[in-house]
Amino acid sequence: GAQYNSHERQPHPKCLQGTRVDLLKDIHGFQDDTEKNQLVWLHGTAGVRKSAVAFTVAERMRGLKVTEETNVERRLAGTFFFSRKHTKRCTTGLFFVTPFYQL
């Protein structure tokens, strides 16, 4: 249920077209820099739409290939979405094993 496209999280929160343009541009710029490994940590108070931004970014990264020569490899390695509603996703207990499972 912690993956970005999990059925538990439907309807998926997503940025509407034309919203959060500057923020998404900055995040995509970090991710598109192939010379550096980047970790983007979204933080803020409840209700500021962090999950919508994270889903939008994950969806874009899922569709991008690592290189133009391959059709198999994807740039999205794994995701984890915390949730206050779900006991297994409200703590860090499964935070590390979930991305390893996805890899």
Side-chain angles (χ1 to χ4, degrees):
Q3 295 177 5
Y4 88 98
N5 57 353
S6 170
H7 295 293
E8 286 183 20
R9 298 184 57 250
Q10 288 187 356
H12 300 296
K14 186 176 180 178
C15 293
L16 299 175
Q17 189 71 27
T19 62
R20 304 285 183 150
V21 174
D22 292 337
L23 176 60
L24 292 170
K25 183 179 176 182
D26 288 344
I27 293 171
H28 295 157
F30 288 134
Q31 294 172 330
D32 292 339
D33 186 350
T34 58
E35 298 297 316
K36 298 178 183 177
N37 292 322
Q38 299 288 335
L39 174 68
V40 177
W41 190 276
L42 294 174
H43 61 90
T45 58
V48 296
R49 307 291 291 163
K50 297 177 299 287
S51 293
V53 171
F55 178 83
T56 303
V57 170
E59 189 175 51
R60 176 184 181 262
M61 295 308 291
R62 178 72 175 147
L64 294 177
K65 295 175 180 59
V66 174
T67 64
E68 293 299 322
E69 294 81 33
T70 181
N71 290 323
V72 178
E73 296 181 65
R74 303 290 180 185
R75 290 180 62 187
L76 181 67
T79 58
F80 190 96
F81 282 79
F82 287 96
S83 172
R84 286 179 285 172
K85 297 177 188 176
H86 296 90
T87 57
K88 292 182 179 180
R89 290 192 288 130
C90 69
T91 66
T92 58
L94 297 176
F95 177 69
F96 294 102
V97 295
T98 300
F100 287 122
Y101 171 77
Q102 293 175 57
L103 290 172

